[in-house]
Amino acid sequence: MEFKAVAGWRRSVRFFEPWREVEREKIQAIMEAVHRAPRVLEVDFVRTVVVYRDQLKDHELTAMKMPTTTAQVDMAPVYVFFYADLEALPRAATGDNFRELMARGVLNRSHGWTESFLEEQVLPYLRGIIDHPDRITMRTRTPDGDIEGPSVSRAHLSLARSAIGIAQEHALLAAFDEGLGAQLSALNTNIANGILGVPNTWTTSSPMLLGYHGESRETGGQRPREPFEEDFFEMRYGHPFYREPAVVDRLTAAEMIQPTAPLPWRKDELRALARKFGLPD
Ligand SMILES: Cc1cc2nc3c(=O)[nH]c(=O)nc-3n(C[C@H](O)[C@H](O)[C@H](O)COP(=O)(O)O)c2cc1C
């Protein structure tokens, strides 16, 4: 699919065909896209765990549900959990990833990249993030109380979480490009982490539910946003980025910009979906 159409057709899909498995090759294509996401400070933060719903026990599935993620957990056949390994930053602080990029002609003298620049400026900057005194203790909530994990600086955690966000977005776009539907959705990650056995040095965010659309690709239309002019600026805050109508027309033709929800038939679709999947109407 062309990029603009992928961006336009991506929606949070909340109805999946529960019976239709996702081909492993499509899941791999999504992981390959995540593998190519940009790397903040050359840190290899990102980890994913792919989970097949039907290989979980019923009680595990039930325990993972959250108030904002209910029926879609039962419907989506695959969940992709995203993590950032907090131990990746100390590893990057050895400078080896930077040295590799210098050797491969990616980071060059033209931009100031030399061994002394690395040793005297970049690596101390990384160490400063790791050692910053504004720290929090990682905690895992269990039925028997909280288990304390490592202490990390807020700046470290914020970098790690930004890496997860970029991974999530690459995964979402790749999923739609593969003709699948997907949604980032909260699951009880404390429960999930226990089931998946991930180390307590991995931090996480919302997993991606993945499957074939159980609702139409339109999903009732693109979801509303604040007016463009309220959020995008040129040169200074308060000076809206001028939205050229001809560009809007071009992006509409390319399917990036599509009608906003609700399409006229959405209520009928929702009634039919509720009947089809045995859900409340
Ligand atoms: C990190 C993240 C977590 C989300 N968690 C949930 C969730 O728990 N339940 C849900 O229904 N939607 C969740 N969403 C989806 C948003 O509600 C959705 O993106 C938003 O309404 C815009 O709609 P769209 O994605 O269809 O454009 C989440 C989105 C993000 C980025």
Side-chain angles (χ1 to χ4, degrees):
M1 226 198 271
E2 210 257 335
F3 172 77
K4 294 184 188 68
V6 173
W9 283 104
R10 188 214 59 78
R11 317 279 163 81
S12 290
V13 171
R14 293 187 174 85
F15 296 87
F16 298 91
E17 290 189 334
W19 51 81
R20 189 165 172 193
E21 286 181 11
V22 177
E23 296 84 343
R24 207 171 173 287
E25 63 157 294
K26 294 193 171 193
I27 300 172
Q28 183 179 339
I30 296 167
M31 296 307 112
E32 299 279 1
V34 172
H35 201 194
R36 281 153 185 80
R39 215 171 40 162
V40 57
L41 287 169
E42 307 309 341
V43 184
D44 290 298
F45 270 126
V46 172
R47 310 281 181 267
T48 69
V49 181
V50 176
V51 174
Y52 305 98
R53 177 201 58 204
D54 292 346
Q55 294 182 31
L56 291 173
K57 300 187 177 74
D58 283 349
H59 69 89
E60 293 175 331
L61 204 62
T62 306
M64 277 200 221
K65 286 185 185 173
M66 296 284 279
T68 57
T69 312
T70 53
Q72 60 266 54
V73 182
D74 298 320
M75 301 177 98
V78 178
Y79 319 136
V80 179
F81 286 84
F82 300 91
Y83 295 95
D85 178 1
L86 294 165
E87 290 183 337
L89 182 56
R91 276 197 295 277
T94 61
D96 288 350
N97 285 352
F98 291 104
R99 286 190 192 91
E100 184 187 18
L101 293 176
M102 286 157 68
R104 288 175 186 263
V106 177
L107 299 178
N108 301 304
R109 298 182 77 84
S110 54
H111 290 57
W113 287 94
T114 59
E115 182 61 31
S116 57
F117 173 66
L118 182 63
E119 291 284 349
E120 288 159 25
Q121 299 202 40
V122 179
L123 299 185
Y125 174 64
L126 262 64
R127 287 246 57 100
I129 294 171
I130 296 167
D131 299 333
H132 197 282
D134 183 8
R135 307 186 77 73
I136 54 174
T137 302
M138 305 287 293
R139 279 174 211 286
T140 309
R141 196 150 295 157
T142 74
D144 307 322
D146 285 6
I147 300 175
E148 285 201 357
S151 145
V152 286
S153 76
R154 284 184 199 278
H156 185 165
L157 201 55
S158 145
L159 278 183
R161 298 235 161 109
S162 76
I164 295 177
I166 294 168
Q168 287 169 320
E169 184 59 7
H170 265 53
L172 280 175
L173 294 176
F176 283 82
D177 188 50
E178 290 292 320
L180 299 166
Q183 183 205 4
L184 295 178
S185 206
L187 284 181
N188 187 328
T189 45
N190 283 321
I191 300 282
N193 291 358
I195 296 168
L196 309 182
V198 303
N200 70 354
T201 49
W202 289 14
T203 183
T204 192
S205 171
S206 303
M208 181 173 83
L209 310 185
L210 183 67
Y212 280 92
H213 290 74
E215 55 189 319
S216 61
R217 274 174 87 212
E218 285 82 0
T219 66
Q222 278 187 337
R223 283 66 194 273
R225 298 287 189 268
E226 288 180 335
F228 185 91
E229 295 72 18
E230 285 183 18
D231 292 345
F232 301 97
F233 304 98
E234 259 173 322
M235 287 304 289
R236 60 183 161 78
Y237 171 66
H239 183 254
F241 186 98
Y242 172 62
R243 196 178 198 197
E244 168 67 59
V247 177
V248 172
D249 290 347
R250 177 165 71 82
L251 299 178
T252 303
E255 301 179 358
M256 180 189 266
I257 299 176
Q258 299 184 22
T260 304
L263 297 178
W265 39 268
R266 179 60 169 172
K267 282 216 169 85
D268 293 331
E269 182 186 27
L270 287 172
R271 266 193 292 276
L273 288 170
R275 273 201 305 278
K276 178 174 174 180
F277 293 116
L279 296 167
D281 182 355

